[in-house]
Amino acid sequence: QVQLVELGGGLVQAGDSLKLSCVASGDTVCISAMGWYRQAPGKQRELVAHVRNGRSATYADSVKGRFTISMDNNKKMVDLQMNALKPDDTAVYYCEAEERAAELGCDDADYWGQGTQVTVSS
Protein backbone atom coordinates (compact mmCIF):
# COMPACT_ATOMS: atom_id res chain seq x y z
CA GLN A 1 0.00 0.00 0.00
CA VAL A 2 1.37 3.36 -1.11
CA GLN A 3 -0.10 6.80 -0.60
CA LEU A 4 1.05 9.80 -2.65
CA VAL A 5 0.59 13.45 -1.70
CA GLU A 6 1.45 16.36 -4.00
CA LEU A 7 2.72 19.64 -2.65
CA GLY A 8 3.77 22.94 -4.16
CA GLY A 9 1.04 24.03 -6.54
CA GLY A 10 -0.04 27.62 -6.80
CA LEU A 11 -0.65 30.71 -8.88
CA VAL A 12 2.33 32.19 -10.71
CA GLN A 13 3.05 34.51 -13.62
CA ALA A 14 4.39 33.48 -17.00
CA GLY A 15 8.13 33.06 -16.87
CA ASP A 16 8.17 32.11 -13.20
CA SER A 17 9.44 28.88 -11.71
CA LEU A 18 7.69 26.45 -9.42
CA LYS A 19 8.67 23.19 -7.79
CA LEU A 20 6.21 20.39 -7.15
CA SER A 21 6.92 17.58 -4.73
CA CYS A 22 5.22 14.25 -4.28
CA VAL A 23 5.78 12.38 -1.05
CA ALA A 24 5.17 8.64 -0.90
CA SER A 25 4.30 6.83 2.29
CA GLY A 26 3.88 3.15 2.99
CA ASP A 27 5.83 0.36 1.33
CA THR A 28 7.83 1.88 -1.54
CA VAL A 29 10.17 -1.06 -2.18
CA CYS A 30 8.24 -2.30 -5.22
CA ILE A 31 8.11 1.08 -6.98
CA SER A 32 9.94 0.90 -10.31
CA ALA A 33 8.97 4.25 -11.82
CA MET A 34 7.38 7.56 -10.92
CA GLY A 35 5.99 10.34 -13.02
CA TRP A 36 4.01 13.53 -13.28
CA TYR A 37 0.85 13.95 -15.32
CA ARG A 38 -1.41 16.92 -15.83
CA GLN A 39 -4.96 17.57 -16.91
CA ALA A 40 -6.38 20.89 -18.02
CA PRO A 41 -10.14 21.55 -18.08
CA GLY A 42 -11.74 19.91 -21.09
CA LYS A 43 -8.55 18.11 -22.06
CA GLN A 44 -7.21 14.60 -21.64
CA ARG A 45 -4.70 13.77 -18.97
CA GLU A 46 -1.21 13.80 -20.44
CA LEU A 47 2.20 12.64 -19.41
CA VAL A 48 4.52 15.47 -18.39
CA ALA A 49 7.60 13.63 -17.17
CA HIS A 50 8.47 10.08 -16.26
CA VAL A 51 11.49 8.37 -14.77
CA ARG A 52 12.27 4.69 -14.30
CA ASN A 53 14.61 3.54 -11.58
CA GLY A 54 18.16 3.63 -12.90
CA ARG A 55 17.23 5.18 -16.24
CA SER A 56 17.08 8.63 -17.74
CA ALA A 57 13.87 10.61 -17.66
CA THR A 58 11.48 11.24 -20.51
CA TYR A 59 9.49 14.42 -21.06
CA ALA A 60 6.61 15.66 -23.11
CA ASP A 61 7.81 17.77 -26.02
CA SER A 62 5.94 20.76 -24.66
CA VAL A 63 7.99 20.84 -21.45
CA LYS A 64 11.34 19.51 -22.64
CA GLY A 65 14.12 21.86 -21.66
CA ARG A 66 11.97 23.64 -19.09
CA PHE A 67 10.96 20.92 -16.62
CA THR A 68 13.13 18.49 -14.69
CA ILE A 69 11.94 15.41 -12.84
CA SER A 70 13.92 13.83 -10.02
CA MET A 71 13.32 10.82 -7.81
CA ASP A 72 15.15 10.11 -4.59
CA ASN A 73 17.06 6.90 -3.97
CA ASN A 74 14.44 5.48 -1.64
CA LYS A 75 11.61 6.26 -4.06
CA LYS A 76 9.79 8.15 -1.36
CA MET A 77 9.71 11.44 -3.21
CA VAL A 78 9.54 12.68 -6.79
CA ASP A 79 9.96 16.35 -7.64
CA LEU A 80 9.12 18.36 -10.72
CA GLN A 81 11.09 21.55 -11.20
CA MET A 82 9.20 23.78 -13.61
CA ASN A 83 10.93 26.77 -15.18
CA ALA A 84 9.82 29.36 -17.71
CA LEU A 85 6.19 28.55 -17.06
CA LYS A 86 3.62 29.34 -19.71
CA PRO A 87 -0.15 29.81 -19.48
CA ASP A 88 -0.52 26.53 -21.37
CA ASP A 89 1.05 24.80 -18.39
CA THR A 90 -2.05 25.57 -16.33
CA ALA A 91 -3.54 22.28 -15.15
CA VAL A 92 -4.02 19.97 -12.24
CA TYR A 93 -0.80 18.05 -11.78
CA TYR A 94 -0.82 14.47 -10.51
CA CYS A 95 2.06 12.33 -9.37
CA GLU A 96 2.08 8.63 -10.15
CA ALA A 97 3.98 5.60 -8.94
CA GLU A 98 4.26 2.26 -10.70
CA GLU A 99 5.01 -1.12 -9.21
CA ARG A 100 6.40 -3.39 -11.95
CA ALA A 101 8.91 -5.60 -10.15
CA ALA A 102 7.67 -9.17 -10.33
CA GLU A 103 11.26 -10.37 -9.95
CA LEU A 104 11.15 -8.98 -6.43
CA GLY A 105 7.90 -10.72 -5.63
CA CYS A 106 5.84 -7.58 -6.16
CA ASP A 107 2.34 -7.39 -7.56
CA ASP A 108 1.67 -4.90 -10.34
CA ALA A 109 0.01 -1.74 -9.08
CA ASP A 110 -0.38 1.95 -9.87
CA TYR A 111 -0.86 4.76 -7.38
CA TRP A 112 -1.97 8.34 -7.88
CA GLY A 113 -1.86 11.45 -5.77
CA GLN A 114 -4.82 13.73 -5.21
CA GLY A 115 -3.56 16.40 -7.60
CA THR A 116 -2.38 19.96 -7.12
CA GLN A 117 -3.47 23.01 -9.11
CA VAL A 118 -0.91 25.01 -11.07
CA THR A 119 -2.17 28.23 -12.63
CA VAL A 120 0.05 30.40 -14.83
CA SER A 121 -1.19 33.85 -15.73
CA SER A 122 0.15 36.14 -18.44
Side-chain angles (χ1 to χ4, degrees):
Q1 182 69 31
V2 175
Q3 183 175 353
L4 305 175
V5 178
E6 299 100 337
L7 300 169
L11 173 63
V12 298
Q13 298 184 70
D16 284 355
S17 296
L18 195 64
K19 185 177 181 179
L20 305 181
S21 296
C22 178
V23 180
S25 61
D27 188 357
T28 63
V29 175
C30 294
I31 294 176
S32 60
M34 301 185 78
W36 285 94
Y37 295 73
R38 67 186 182 188
Q39 186 168 18
K43 296 185 178 180
Q44 297 179 355
R45 182 175 297 185
E46 65 175 348
L47 173 68
V48 177
H50 188 268
V51 60
R52 296 179 182 178
N53 191 34
R55 299 186 180 185
S56 60
T58 59
Y59 298 90
D61 288 341
S62 60
V63 307
K64 194 171 299 182
R66 299 188 296 120
F67 291 10
T68 302
I69 188 172
S70 60
M71 180 173 63
D72 72 2
N73 292 333
N74 294 323
K75 293 167 285 187
K76 293 184 177 181
M77 180 178 293
V78 60
D79 295 335
L80 185 68
Q81 177 65 50
M82 304 183 292
N83 298 324
L85 284 162
K86 305 175 180 179
D88 286 347
D89 295 319
T90 296
V92 177
Y93 285 70
Y94 300 89
C95 68
E96 175 249 12
E98 302 172 5
E99 296 184 342
R100 301 286 190 277
E103 67 275 12
L104 300 179
C106 301
D107 294 328
D108 289 353
D110 296 310
Y111 300 93
W112 294 88
Q114 82 285 358
T116 185
Q117 177 71 47
V118 173
T119 302
V120 184
S121 64
S122 60

